Amino acid sequence: MIRCLFFGTKLRQQIFTVQDFALNQLNKPTPIGNYASRFFGQWSLFDSTQSWKALDRARYLNFAASEQLQRTDQELIYQTVQAYYTVLLAQKQVQVAEEAVKTVKAIEQQSHERVESGLAVDSDLLSAQVQASARQQELIERRNELALARTRLALAMGAAADALYQPREALEGWTLPAADLNQLEKTALEKRPDLKRSEWERSAQDKNVGMSKAAFGPRLNAFGSWQEDSHSVGWTSANNWVAGAELQFTLTKRGVLRKLRDGAMPKIVDLKLGDHGRRPETHQQTGAERCSQVRLEAKRSGGPCRKYKTAGYEISRDTNSAFMSTRPV
């Protein structure tokens, strides 16, 4: 075995001579060193389109991530706008509470004067003082709500919690244009980035199923190597190379491909169900908007209590208590 290695090493190094056939050299070969430098490369020529499907899947996931980023931007804008109008509403509520405190203070002073003049009893003054205390407590609550609203606005914009922003405009009411529920649903299904993201993810899962199928197809690879052997450090002309191609097949048991394919199908079904999950959100937002409109009409008209049935919701209006309730019918 040592002699074979001795002969083979010298042959690869191209330094084999006639003197190596001497008896002493054959019986007791001297140690020899070998410095080998090798370069090897492999190239996939055909893999049953598995690489192409993986590339398409990565591209679809990239599109899905872009849609998710756009949806995140929309949510941040919505949170900022919501916090902004919450600050406007809180400011208006503070103004109303301050006016209420001034009114009850005047009533308390008037009650005090009436009691001193004998036109009212002490209970009237006590009742006025209770009302003044209640309005004062309400003013404190409204100021706290304003401070919290400003903090939420700062956090929604990514600023520090103690950063204060003063809105330039005042809270005003406006009339929204009438919109059809079916048209709103159609617009939501066409424009929502999260639905587009679900579509791209479903396409990616389809490619994942194709990759699972292609993994059992034939694969053709080309390979090559180049090697140089030397008895010392450095480059010589003693080199050899190998080039070829290999064809691979995957032999599996029956049912393995079906299990891989069925494993990806539940994810695709979940993505399809996600499209229908957006419809209740649109119904809920539309019902809440109509409830707000009916409440505003109730406060303006001051008419009797009536009920409405719109878009699968029953809306009750009570103008005396200004109370609204919704429930599915």
PDB file of all heavy atoms in Angstrom, residues 93-108 127-143:
ATOM      1  N   GLN A  93     -64.233  69.871  24.269  1.00  0.00           N
ATOM      2  CA  GLN A  93     -64.864  69.416  25.502  1.00  0.00           C
ATOM      3  C   GLN A  93     -64.361  70.210  26.708  1.00  0.00           C
ATOM      4  O   GLN A  93     -65.129  70.482  27.641  1.00  0.00           O
ATOM      5  CB  GLN A  93     -64.592  67.925  25.698  1.00  0.00           C
ATOM      6  CG  GLN A  93     -65.337  67.036  24.704  1.00  0.00           C
ATOM      7  CD  GLN A  93     -64.976  65.573  24.873  1.00  0.00           C
ATOM      8  OE1 GLN A  93     -63.999  65.229  25.524  1.00  0.00           O
ATOM      9  NE2 GLN A  93     -65.784  64.704  24.272  1.00  0.00           N
ATOM     10  N   VAL A  94     -63.097  70.604  26.695  1.00  0.00           N
ATOM     11  CA  VAL A  94     -62.579  71.441  27.779  1.00  0.00           C
ATOM     12  C   VAL A  94     -63.268  72.804  27.765  1.00  0.00           C
ATOM     13  O   VAL A  94     -63.640  73.346  28.825  1.00  0.00           O
ATOM     14  CB  VAL A  94     -61.054  71.588  27.657  1.00  0.00           C
ATOM     15  CG1 VAL A  94     -60.536  72.669  28.610  1.00  0.00           C
ATOM     16  CG2 VAL A  94     -60.359  70.274  27.969  1.00  0.00           C
ATOM     17  N   GLN A  95     -63.460  73.370  26.580  1.00  0.00           N
ATOM     18  CA  GLN A  95     -64.153  74.652  26.484  1.00  0.00           C
ATOM     19  C   GLN A  95     -65.581  74.551  26.997  1.00  0.00           C
ATOM     20  O   GLN A  95     -66.063  75.425  27.729  1.00  0.00           O
ATOM     21  CB  GLN A  95     -64.140  75.134  25.037  1.00  0.00           C
ATOM     22  CG  GLN A  95     -62.759  75.474  24.505  1.00  0.00           C
ATOM     23  CD  GLN A  95     -62.781  75.873  23.050  1.00  0.00           C
ATOM     24  OE1 GLN A  95     -63.857  75.978  22.436  1.00  0.00           O
ATOM     25  NE2 GLN A  95     -61.603  76.103  22.474  1.00  0.00           N
ATOM     26  N   VAL A  96     -66.270  73.488  26.641  1.00  0.00           N
ATOM     27  CA  VAL A  96     -67.651  73.294  27.114  1.00  0.00           C
ATOM     28  C   VAL A  96     -67.672  73.126  28.628  1.00  0.00           C
ATOM     29  O   VAL A  96     -68.544  73.682  29.327  1.00  0.00           O
ATOM     30  CB  VAL A  96     -68.276  72.072  26.414  1.00  0.00           C
ATOM     31  CG1 VAL A  96     -69.639  71.747  27.004  1.00  0.00           C
ATOM     32  CG2 VAL A  96     -68.407  72.329  24.917  1.00  0.00           C
ATOM     33  N   ALA A  97     -66.707  72.364  29.168  1.00  0.00           N
ATOM     34  CA  ALA A  97     -66.660  72.162  30.608  1.00  0.00           C
ATOM     35  C   ALA A  97     -66.358  73.471  31.335  1.00  0.00           C
ATOM     36  O   ALA A  97     -66.909  73.734  32.416  1.00  0.00           O
ATOM     37  CB  ALA A  97     -65.612  71.105  30.949  1.00  0.00           C
ATOM     38  N   GLU A  98     -65.481  74.295  30.762  1.00  0.00           N
ATOM     39  CA  GLU A  98     -65.198  75.584  31.386  1.00  0.00           C
ATOM     40  C   GLU A  98     -66.432  76.484  31.394  1.00  0.00           C
ATOM     41  O   GLU A  98     -66.709  77.171  32.391  1.00  0.00           O
ATOM     42  CB  GLU A  98     -64.041  76.259  30.647  1.00  0.00           C
ATOM     43  CG  GLU A  98     -62.695  75.584  30.867  1.00  0.00           C
ATOM     44  CD  GLU A  98     -61.602  76.213  30.036  1.00  0.00           C
ATOM     45  OE1 GLU A  98     -61.945  77.053  29.154  1.00  0.00           O
ATOM     46  OE2 GLU A  98     -60.408  75.891  30.244  1.00  0.00           O
ATOM     47  N   GLU A  99     -67.187  76.507  30.310  1.00  0.00           N
ATOM     48  CA  GLU A  99     -68.424  77.282  30.264  1.00  0.00           C
ATOM     49  C   GLU A  99     -69.433  76.748  31.273  1.00  0.00           C
ATOM     50  O   GLU A  99     -70.163  77.526  31.926  1.00  0.00           O
ATOM     51  CB  GLU A  99     -69.005  77.249  28.855  1.00  0.00           C
ATOM     52  CG  GLU A  99     -68.162  77.955  27.810  1.00  0.00           C
ATOM     53  CD  GLU A  99     -68.050  79.442  28.078  1.00  0.00           C
ATOM     54  OE1 GLU A  99     -68.988  80.013  28.684  1.00  0.00           O
ATOM     55  OE2 GLU A  99     -67.025  80.039  27.688  1.00  0.00           O
ATOM     56  N   ALA A 100     -69.488  75.432  31.420  1.00  0.00           N
ATOM     57  CA  ALA A 100     -70.402  74.844  32.399  1.00  0.00           C
ATOM     58  C   ALA A 100     -70.011  75.242  33.826  1.00  0.00           C
ATOM     59  O   ALA A 100     -70.869  75.518  34.673  1.00  0.00           O
ATOM     60  CB  ALA A 100     -70.419  73.326  32.256  1.00  0.00           C
ATOM     61  N   VAL A 101     -68.709  75.292  34.102  1.00  0.00           N
ATOM     62  CA  VAL A 101     -68.252  75.706  35.431  1.00  0.00           C
ATOM     63  C   VAL A 101     -68.628  77.160  35.693  1.00  0.00           C
ATOM     64  O   VAL A 101     -69.086  77.523  36.796  1.00  0.00           O
ATOM     65  CB  VAL A 101     -66.733  75.490  35.554  1.00  0.00           C
ATOM     66  CG1 VAL A 101     -66.198  76.153  36.823  1.00  0.00           C
ATOM     67  CG2 VAL A 101     -66.406  74.004  35.578  1.00  0.00           C
ATOM     68  N   LYS A 102     -68.470  78.009  34.704  1.00  0.00           N
ATOM     69  CA  LYS A 102     -68.852  79.412  34.871  1.00  0.00           C
ATOM     70  C   LYS A 102     -70.354  79.548  35.140  1.00  0.00           C
ATOM     71  O   LYS A 102     -70.793  80.342  35.978  1.00  0.00           O
ATOM     72  CB  LYS A 102     -68.467  80.213  33.631  1.00  0.00           C
ATOM     73  CG  LYS A 102     -66.966  80.337  33.415  1.00  0.00           C
ATOM     74  CD  LYS A 102     -66.674  81.139  32.157  1.00  0.00           C
ATOM     75  CE  LYS A 102     -65.171  81.254  31.922  1.00  0.00           C
ATOM     76  NZ  LYS A 102     -64.860  82.006  30.679  1.00  0.00           N
ATOM     77  N   THR A 103     -71.136  78.746  34.440  1.00  0.00           N
ATOM     78  CA  THR A 103     -72.597  78.816  34.611  1.00  0.00           C
ATOM     79  C   THR A 103     -73.007  78.392  36.018  1.00  0.00           C
ATOM     80  O   THR A 103     -73.801  79.064  36.692  1.00  0.00           O
ATOM     81  CB  THR A 103     -73.289  77.933  33.561  1.00  0.00           C
ATOM     82  OG1 THR A 103     -72.904  78.374  32.253  1.00  0.00           O
ATOM     83  CG2 THR A 103     -74.795  78.014  33.699  1.00  0.00           C
ATOM     84  N   VAL A 104     -72.458  77.256  36.466  1.00  0.00           N
ATOM     85  CA  VAL A 104     -72.854  76.773  37.799  1.00  0.00           C
ATOM     86  C   VAL A 104     -72.319  77.696  38.890  1.00  0.00           C
ATOM     87  O   VAL A 104     -72.939  77.824  39.963  1.00  0.00           O
ATOM     88  CB  VAL A 104     -72.379  75.325  38.005  1.00  0.00           C
ATOM     89  CG1 VAL A 104     -73.068  74.382  37.039  1.00  0.00           C
ATOM     90  CG2 VAL A 104     -70.866  75.209  37.875  1.00  0.00           C
ATOM     91  N   LYS A 105     -71.187  78.341  38.661  1.00  0.00           N
ATOM     92  CA  LYS A 105     -70.688  79.310  39.629  1.00  0.00           C
ATOM     93  C   LYS A 105     -71.648  80.495  39.756  1.00  0.00           C
ATOM     94  O   LYS A 105     -71.934  80.981  40.872  1.00  0.00           O
ATOM     95  CB  LYS A 105     -69.300  79.807  39.210  1.00  0.00           C
ATOM     96  CG  LYS A 105     -68.178  78.793  39.407  1.00  0.00           C
ATOM     97  CD  LYS A 105     -67.923  78.515  40.878  1.00  0.00           C
ATOM     98  CE  LYS A 105     -66.746  77.582  41.066  1.00  0.00           C
ATOM     99  NZ  LYS A 105     -66.485  77.278  42.490  1.00  0.00           N
ATOM    100  N   ALA A 106     -72.158  80.936  38.609  1.00  0.00           N
ATOM    101  CA  ALA A 106     -73.131  82.026  38.639  1.00  0.00           C
ATOM    102  C   ALA A 106     -74.420  81.594  39.345  1.00  0.00           C
ATOM    103  O   ALA A 106     -75.023  82.355  40.120  1.00  0.00           O
ATOM    104  CB  ALA A 106     -73.428  82.500  37.218  1.00  0.00           C
ATOM    105  N   ILE A 107     -74.851  80.364  39.069  1.00  0.00           N
ATOM    106  CA  ILE A 107     -76.057  79.866  39.726  1.00  0.00           C
ATOM    107  C   ILE A 107     -75.833  79.736  41.225  1.00  0.00           C
ATOM    108  O   ILE A 107     -76.716  80.048  42.048  1.00  0.00           O
ATOM    109  CB  ILE A 107     -76.469  78.511  39.109  1.00  0.00           C
ATOM    110  CG1 ILE A 107     -76.877  78.706  37.641  1.00  0.00           C
ATOM    111  CG2 ILE A 107     -77.600  77.874  39.900  1.00  0.00           C
ATOM    112  CD1 ILE A 107     -77.199  77.413  36.926  1.00  0.00           C
ATOM    113  N   GLU A 108     -74.629  79.286  41.634  1.00  0.00           N
ATOM    114  CA  GLU A 108     -74.323  79.160  43.058  1.00  0.00           C
ATOM    115  C   GLU A 108     -74.337  80.528  43.734  1.00  0.00           C
ATOM    116  O   GLU A 108     -74.866  80.676  44.849  1.00  0.00           O
ATOM    117  CB  GLU A 108     -72.963  78.500  43.225  1.00  0.00           C
ATOM    118  CG  GLU A 108     -72.558  78.299  44.686  1.00  0.00           C
ATOM    119  CD  GLU A 108     -71.177  77.709  44.809  1.00  0.00           C
ATOM    120  OE1 GLU A 108     -70.533  77.462  43.769  1.00  0.00           O
ATOM    121  OE2 GLU A 108     -70.737  77.500  45.965  1.00  0.00           O
ATOM    122  N   SER A 127     -77.759  72.312  46.781  1.00  0.00           N
ATOM    123  CA  SER A 127     -77.867  71.676  45.466  1.00  0.00           C
ATOM    124  C   SER A 127     -76.997  72.391  44.440  1.00  0.00           C
ATOM    125  O   SER A 127     -76.336  71.754  43.606  1.00  0.00           O
ATOM    126  CB  SER A 127     -79.328  71.676  45.012  1.00  0.00           C
ATOM    127  OG  SER A 127     -79.450  71.119  43.718  1.00  0.00           O
ATOM    128  N   ALA A 128     -76.959  73.733  44.483  1.00  0.00           N
ATOM    129  CA  ALA A 128     -76.114  74.482  43.558  1.00  0.00           C
ATOM    130  C   ALA A 128     -74.649  74.202  43.810  1.00  0.00           C
ATOM    131  O   ALA A 128     -73.841  74.089  42.869  1.00  0.00           O
ATOM    132  CB  ALA A 128     -76.414  75.969  43.678  1.00  0.00           C
ATOM    133  N   GLN A 129     -74.255  74.052  45.055  1.00  0.00           N
ATOM    134  CA  GLN A 129     -72.867  73.749  45.367  1.00  0.00           C
ATOM    135  C   GLN A 129     -72.477  72.346  44.880  1.00  0.00           C
ATOM    136  O   GLN A 129     -71.356  72.123  44.405  1.00  0.00           O
ATOM    137  CB  GLN A 129     -72.641  73.866  46.880  1.00  0.00           C
ATOM    138  CG  GLN A 129     -72.731  75.291  47.393  1.00  0.00           C
ATOM    139  CD  GLN A 129     -72.609  75.370  48.905  1.00  0.00           C
ATOM    140  OE1 GLN A 129     -72.661  74.338  49.599  1.00  0.00           O
ATOM    141  NE2 GLN A 129     -72.465  76.587  49.429  1.00  0.00           N
ATOM    142  N   VAL A 130     -73.416  71.403  45.008  1.00  0.00           N
ATOM    143  CA  VAL A 130     -73.156  70.044  44.501  1.00  0.00           C
ATOM    144  C   VAL A 130     -72.966  70.066  42.983  1.00  0.00           C
ATOM    145  O   VAL A 130     -72.053  69.428  42.428  1.00  0.00           O
ATOM    146  CB  VAL A 130     -74.296  69.096  44.904  1.00  0.00           C
ATOM    147  CG1 VAL A 130     -74.144  67.747  44.187  1.00  0.00           C
ATOM    148  CG2 VAL A 130     -74.309  68.880  46.413  1.00  0.00           C
ATOM    149  N   GLN A 131     -73.813  70.813  42.278  1.00  0.00           N
ATOM    150  CA  GLN A 131     -73.678  70.919  40.830  1.00  0.00           C
ATOM    151  C   GLN A 131     -72.348  71.575  40.452  1.00  0.00           C
ATOM    152  O   GLN A 131     -71.681  71.170  39.486  1.00  0.00           O
ATOM    153  CB  GLN A 131     -74.849  71.718  40.263  1.00  0.00           C
ATOM    154  CG  GLN A 131     -76.197  71.022  40.349  1.00  0.00           C
ATOM    155  CD  GLN A 131     -76.246  69.769  39.487  1.00  0.00           C
ATOM    156  OE1 GLN A 131     -75.584  69.702  38.455  1.00  0.00           O
ATOM    157  NE2 GLN A 131     -77.041  68.792  39.918  1.00  0.00           N
ATOM    158  N   ALA A 132     -71.942  72.587  41.205  1.00  0.00           N
ATOM    159  CA  ALA A 132     -70.676  73.247  40.915  1.00  0.00           C
ATOM    160  C   ALA A 132     -69.503  72.295  41.116  1.00  0.00           C
ATOM    161  O   ALA A 132     -68.550  72.280  40.324  1.00  0.00           O
ATOM    162  CB  ALA A 132     -70.531  74.485  41.803  1.00  0.00           C
ATOM    163  N   SER A 133     -69.543  71.498  42.165  1.00  0.00           N
ATOM    164  CA  SER A 133     -68.470  70.522  42.411  1.00  0.00           C
ATOM    165  C   SER A 133     -68.424  69.471  41.303  1.00  0.00           C
ATOM    166  O   SER A 133     -67.341  69.061  40.855  1.00  0.00           O
ATOM    167  CB  SER A 133     -68.667  69.860  43.770  1.00  0.00           C
ATOM    168  OG  SER A 133     -68.634  70.822  44.810  1.00  0.00           O
ATOM    169  N   ALA A 134     -69.611  69.030  40.858  1.00  0.00           N
ATOM    170  CA  ALA A 134     -69.658  68.025  39.786  1.00  0.00           C
ATOM    171  C   ALA A 134     -69.085  68.588  38.493  1.00  0.00           C
ATOM    172  O   ALA A 134     -68.325  67.915  37.779  1.00  0.00           O
ATOM    173  CB  ALA A 134     -71.090  67.548  39.576  1.00  0.00           C
ATOM    174  N   ARG A 135     -69.428  69.838  38.155  1.00  0.00           N
ATOM    175  CA  ARG A 135     -68.899  70.453  36.934  1.00  0.00           C
ATOM    176  C   ARG A 135     -67.388  70.687  37.042  1.00  0.00           C
ATOM    177  O   ARG A 135     -66.664  70.583  36.061  1.00  0.00           O
ATOM    178  CB  ARG A 135     -69.609  71.767  36.666  1.00  0.00           C
ATOM    179  CG  ARG A 135     -71.108  71.688  36.447  1.00  0.00           C
ATOM    180  CD  ARG A 135     -71.494  71.011  35.126  1.00  0.00           C
ATOM    181  NE  ARG A 135     -71.423  69.566  35.207  1.00  0.00           N
ATOM    182  CZ  ARG A 135     -72.379  68.799  35.729  1.00  0.00           C
ATOM    183  NH1 ARG A 135     -73.472  69.348  36.238  1.00  0.00           N
ATOM    184  NH2 ARG A 135     -72.264  67.488  35.735  1.00  0.00           N
ATOM    185  N   GLN A 136     -66.922  71.027  38.257  1.00  0.00           N
ATOM    186  CA  GLN A 136     -65.496  71.214  38.460  1.00  0.00           C
ATOM    187  C   GLN A 136     -64.744  69.897  38.274  1.00  0.00           C
ATOM    188  O   GLN A 136     -63.664  69.856  37.661  1.00  0.00           O
ATOM    189  CB  GLN A 136     -65.238  71.780  39.855  1.00  0.00           C
ATOM    190  CG  GLN A 136     -63.790  72.201  40.110  1.00  0.00           C
ATOM    191  CD  GLN A 136     -63.382  73.395  39.268  1.00  0.00           C
ATOM    192  OE1 GLN A 136     -64.216  74.254  38.968  1.00  0.00           O
ATOM    193  NE2 GLN A 136     -62.112  73.445  38.890  1.00  0.00           N
ATOM    194  N   GLN A 137     -65.306  68.813  38.771  1.00  0.00           N
ATOM    195  CA  GLN A 137     -64.693  67.501  38.576  1.00  0.00           C
ATOM    196  C   GLN A 137     -64.694  67.120  37.098  1.00  0.00           C
ATOM    197  O   GLN A 137     -63.725  66.554  36.581  1.00  0.00           O
ATOM    198  CB  GLN A 137     -65.439  66.446  39.395  1.00  0.00           C
ATOM    199  CG  GLN A 137     -64.863  65.043  39.248  1.00  0.00           C
ATOM    200  CD  GLN A 137     -65.636  64.024  40.070  1.00  0.00           C
ATOM    201  OE1 GLN A 137     -66.559  64.393  40.805  1.00  0.00           O
ATOM    202  NE2 GLN A 137     -65.252  62.764  39.955  1.00  0.00           N
ATOM    203  N   GLU A 138     -65.779  67.410  36.399  1.00  0.00           N
ATOM    204  CA  GLU A 138     -65.853  67.124  34.971  1.00  0.00           C
ATOM    205  C   GLU A 138     -64.803  67.926  34.200  1.00  0.00           C
ATOM    206  O   GLU A 138     -64.196  67.417  33.243  1.00  0.00           O
ATOM    207  CB  GLU A 138     -67.256  67.452  34.450  1.00  0.00           C
ATOM    208  CG  GLU A 138     -67.445  67.117  32.981  1.00  0.00           C
ATOM    209  CD  GLU A 138     -68.858  67.412  32.511  1.00  0.00           C
ATOM    210  OE1 GLU A 138     -69.691  67.777  33.365  1.00  0.00           O
ATOM    211  OE2 GLU A 138     -69.118  67.283  31.304  1.00  0.00           O
ATOM    212  N   LEU A 139     -64.559  69.166  34.602  1.00  0.00           N
ATOM    213  CA  LEU A 139     -63.534  69.975  33.950  1.00  0.00           C
ATOM    214  C   LEU A 139     -62.154  69.363  34.139  1.00  0.00           C
ATOM    215  O   LEU A 139     -61.339  69.320  33.211  1.00  0.00           O
ATOM    216  CB  LEU A 139     -63.567  71.400  34.505  1.00  0.00           C
ATOM    217  CG  LEU A 139     -62.485  72.350  33.986  1.00  0.00           C
ATOM    218  CD1 LEU A 139     -62.588  72.498  32.469  1.00  0.00           C
ATOM    219  CD2 LEU A 139     -62.594  73.702  34.679  1.00  0.00           C
ATOM    220  N   ILE A 140     -61.879  68.856  35.334  1.00  0.00           N
ATOM    221  CA  ILE A 140     -60.585  68.199  35.583  1.00  0.00           C
ATOM    222  C   ILE A 140     -60.439  66.956  34.699  1.00  0.00           C
ATOM    223  O   ILE A 140     -59.368  66.705  34.116  1.00  0.00           O
ATOM    224  CB  ILE A 140     -60.455  67.841  37.074  1.00  0.00           C
ATOM    225  CG1 ILE A 140     -60.429  69.120  37.920  1.00  0.00           C
ATOM    226  CG2 ILE A 140     -59.202  67.016  37.328  1.00  0.00           C
ATOM    227  CD1 ILE A 140     -60.454  68.861  39.412  1.00  0.00           C
ATOM    228  N   GLU A 141     -61.500  66.174  34.568  1.00  0.00           N
ATOM    229  CA  GLU A 141     -61.454  64.989  33.717  1.00  0.00           C
ATOM    230  C   GLU A 141     -61.212  65.357  32.266  1.00  0.00           C
ATOM    231  O   GLU A 141     -60.424  64.694  31.565  1.00  0.00           O
ATOM    232  CB  GLU A 141     -62.757  64.202  33.863  1.00  0.00           C
ATOM    233  CG  GLU A 141     -62.964  63.594  35.246  1.00  0.00           C
ATOM    234  CD  GLU A 141     -64.307  62.907  35.361  1.00  0.00           C
ATOM    235  OE1 GLU A 141     -65.109  63.002  34.397  1.00  0.00           O
ATOM    236  OE2 GLU A 141     -64.567  62.279  36.405  1.00  0.00           O
ATOM    237  N   ARG A 142     -61.865  66.401  31.786  1.00  0.00           N
ATOM    238  CA  ARG A 142     -61.695  66.810  30.393  1.00  0.00           C
ATOM    239  C   ARG A 142     -60.270  67.302  30.139  1.00  0.00           C
ATOM    240  O   ARG A 142     -59.691  67.055  29.075  1.00  0.00           O
ATOM    241  CB  ARG A 142     -62.696  67.908  30.043  1.00  0.00           C
ATOM    242  CG  ARG A 142     -64.144  67.447  30.074  1.00  0.00           C
ATOM    243  CD  ARG A 142     -64.396  66.386  29.006  1.00  0.00           C
ATOM    244  NE  ARG A 142     -65.772  65.891  29.051  1.00  0.00           N
ATOM    245  CZ  ARG A 142     -66.147  64.792  29.668  1.00  0.00           C
ATOM    246  NH1 ARG A 142     -65.241  64.066  30.324  1.00  0.00           N
ATOM    247  NH2 ARG A 142     -67.404  64.401  29.662  1.00  0.00           N
ATOM    248  N   ARG A 143     -59.678  68.003  31.099  1.00  0.00           N
ATOM    249  CA  ARG A 143     -58.300  68.449  30.937  1.00  0.00           C
ATOM    250  C   ARG A 143     -57.329  67.269  30.925  1.00  0.00           C
ATOM    251  O   ARG A 143     -56.344  67.269  30.172  1.00  0.00           O
ATOM    252  CB  ARG A 143     -57.941  69.419  32.053  1.00  0.00           C
ATOM    253  CG  ARG A 143     -58.610  70.795  31.901  1.00  0.00           C
ATOM    254  CD  ARG A 143     -58.321  71.689  33.099  1.00  0.00           C
ATOM    255  NE  ARG A 143     -58.919  73.020  32.894  1.00  0.00           N
ATOM    256  CZ  ARG A 143     -58.938  73.972  33.827  1.00  0.00           C
ATOM    257  NH1 ARG A 143     -58.409  73.733  35.035  1.00  0.00           N
ATOM    258  NH2 ARG A 143     -59.488  75.150  33.570  1.00  0.00           N
TER     259      ARG A 143
END
